[in-house]
Amino acid sequence: MPRPKAAVAVLTVLGALVAAGCTTDKPAATTPSAAPAASAQGSGTGAQSKFFVQADFDAQLAMRSQPPEGPVDRPWEQAIAPKMTGTARYKKDGPYHLCFSNAAVNNPWRQVGWKTMQAEVGLHEEIGKFTALDAEGKDDKQISDIAELQAKGCDALIVSPNTTATLTPAVTAACGKVPVIVFDRGVETDCPVTFIKPIGGYAFGADAAEFLAAKVPAGGKVLALRILPGVDVLETRWSAAKVIFDRSRVQVVGVEFTDGDAARTKSIVSDYIQRHGRIDGVWMDAGATAVAAVEAFEDAGLPVPPINGEDQQDFLQKWKDAGLTAVAPTYPTYQWRTPVIAALRILKGEEVPETWNLPQPKVTAENLSSYLKPNMPPLHYALCGCEELPGFPETWGGRKG
């Protein structure tokens, strides 16, 4: 007999299938140099991000080779080099009211994750109520949402921040009233009981940049495509790539923001092809519009250069069908299960990692076939960790068989 599902009070507005660029943490955009790559200054990568921390960069790159602890078949419960913290002061009897302040559901990655989180909630009969508010990609709305949730009698508050610095005061204030779990994107305070993330943005950015540095010939022209500024995990992806490119002999001819829009991505790539005659590699801080970048080369009648995407099905299928030279770093959507598990452990007084570093696999030519899911829609992410959840595959837009 299936376990009873929690009552779910969800206030959410589904956005368009693109990442909205509505933030307030906006540093100046990078203006790349056209000079040949020979040094950090001459590589065309511009100034380093204010988010860059050398020690964190070194730690994340080292974690890529560290084995995680935890159940081998449940990577969303695993942790790399965890430092545990006690939670006895939060212990209380259920049923529990969990609350969630979500940055947005305005891109396919977040939509897959949100479905996965809701399915995880449904597994736990001790969750009596689950209340979620969608900030729609707006800092001011999320600040208001967090304040509103504190008045709803939440036993624990999960937060996925829209931007980093701007949301920090709201999260800090909430920590004084309820145990807070932050995941996906970080804030500039250590007051949350746990911060959950895959290894992180540095690892993602370095995986892609190392691949391109190895595949693009010396002096080759690389175009870097970013979604939006001011989000720590995206800033660190680019800042890691900058370090790798600065050490390499490639020339970064452009660093452009796409707002996660496929048409804009395709237009930018086409413009650079016309401007430079050729582009020898494409680095992306997220893979949602990777297929659009590929199509720009196809439409121009040019071979697709080395490129990175992500574990989104349309890119993986294009990779296989077109025989691309590609790699797909990941930021697994299975991380959306972990905050629910963490919240319950905290409310039961069990230890949790202070920083919960989840495994972050990489899709390569050698393992591509294991991540392709022909029965799933183009915008589905392979590392959802949702295959055994009730409602799969239909809830995620797939079909059985």
Side-chain angles (χ1 to χ4, degrees):
M1 176 179 290
R3 304 173 88 177
K5 295 191 175 183
V8 179
V10 176
L11 301 178
T12 183
V13 180
L14 290 177
L17 300 182
V18 297
C22 181
T23 80
T24 56
D25 292 357
K26 289 194 174 182
T30 299
T31 302
S33 165
S39 65
Q41 186 174 6
S43 65
T45 57
Q48 184 54 281
S49 168
K50 68 177 183 180
F51 285 80
F52 181 74
V53 178
Q54 184 70 50
D56 293 344
F57 170 84
D58 294 339
Q60 287 193 19
L61 267 58
M63 274 191 273
R64 295 185 297 177
S65 60
Q66 291 180 257
E69 301 177 16
V72 67
D73 59 340
R74 298 194 296 277
W76 50 90
E77 294 185 32
Q78 295 176 1
I80 300 172
K83 180 182 178 182
M84 307 302 286
T85 185
T87 66
R89 63 191 180 280
Y90 301 117
K91 185 176 180 180
K92 63 192 307 183
D93 294 332
Y96 304 116
H97 179 192
L98 299 190
C99 295
F100 176 37
S101 171
N102 191 8
V105 284
N106 57 7
N107 63 54
W109 184 89
R110 301 194 70 82
Q111 290 163 15
V112 170
W114 173 227
K115 291 173 184 175
T116 302
M117 175 182 279
Q118 292 176 89
E120 177 66 37
V121 168
L123 296 177
H124 301 280
E125 59 185 0
E126 63 268 47
I127 301 176
K129 187 176 182 181
F130 180 53
T131 303
L133 298 179
D134 173 21
E136 303 170 12
K138 301 172 184 176
D139 285 344
D140 55 352
K141 185 176 187 306
Q142 188 164 33
I143 291 168
S144 174
D145 288 347
I146 291 173
E148 180 180 341
L149 288 170
Q150 291 173 58
K152 290 184 178 291
C154 307
D155 293 308
L157 174 62
I158 299 167
V159 181
S160 176
N162 186 55
T163 59
T164 301
T166 307
L167 267 297
T168 295
V171 171
T172 303
C175 286
K177 300 179 180 179
V178 64
V180 175
I181 300 98
V182 170
F183 84 103
D184 167 31
R185 303 165 173 176
V187 287
E188 296 174 343
T189 174
D190 59 2
C191 76
V193 182
T194 183
F195 172 37
I196 298 162
K197 62 180 182 63
I199 294 174
Y202 292 115
F204 184 108
D207 279 347
E210 288 167 349
F211 177 82
L212 289 175
K215 296 294 183 181
V216 175
K221 300 175 181 179
V222 171
L223 173 61
L225 299 177
R226 303 179 58 189
I227 297 179
L228 67 152
V231 175
D232 61 347
V233 69
L234 299 177
E235 291 285 347
T236 54
R237 288 180 189 185
W238 168 240
S239 60
K242 171 182 164 53
V243 172
I244 303 302
F245 290 142
D246 287 349
R247 294 172 180 171
S248 76
R249 299 182 64 191
V250 304
Q251 179 186 1
V252 177
V253 295
V255 184
E256 300 285 351
F257 289 104
T258 68
D259 294 333
D261 181 78
R264 178 169 170 76
T265 299
K266 190 171 183 179
S267 176
I268 289 170
V269 176
S270 297
D271 287 346
Y272 271 81
I273 291 171
Q274 292 177 6
R275 188 184 313 173
H276 294 278
R278 76 176 196 280
I279 295 295
D280 302 300
V282 178
W283 179 93
M284 306 186 74
D285 71 356
T289 61
V291 171
V294 169
E295 291 173 346
F297 291 95
E298 294 175 335
D299 290 353
L302 297 173
V304 181
I307 187 172
N308 77 277
E310 214 168 336
D311 57 315
Q312 195 168 296
Q313 289 301 306
D314 62 350
F315 177 72
L316 301 183
Q317 192 65 55
K318 173 66 79 171
W319 181 354
K320 178 184 178 183
D321 294 345
L324 301 179
T325 299
V327 71
T330 70
Y331 201 63
T333 46
Y334 59 57
Q335 69 183 279
W336 289 68
R337 299 186 67 169
T338 315
V340 176
I341 294 167
L344 293 177
R345 290 184 184 179
I346 290 165
L347 293 172
K348 294 175 183 178
E350 300 173 6
E351 288 187 333
V352 294
E354 289 182 1
T355 300
W356 196 323
N357 294 301
L358 299 164
Q360 187 170 311
K362 177 174 61 177
V363 183
T364 66
E366 291 71 29
N367 62 19
L368 171 62
S369 60
S370 66
Y371 291 103
L372 271 170
K373 313 286 183 183
N375 63 321
M376 299 305 293
L379 302 182
H380 180 72
Y381 282 77
L383 276 81
C384 66
C386 57
E387 290 83 358
E388 303 302 321
L389 288 171
F392 185 86
E394 295 89 343
T395 298
W396 287 262
R399 64 182 188 280
K400 289 185 176 179

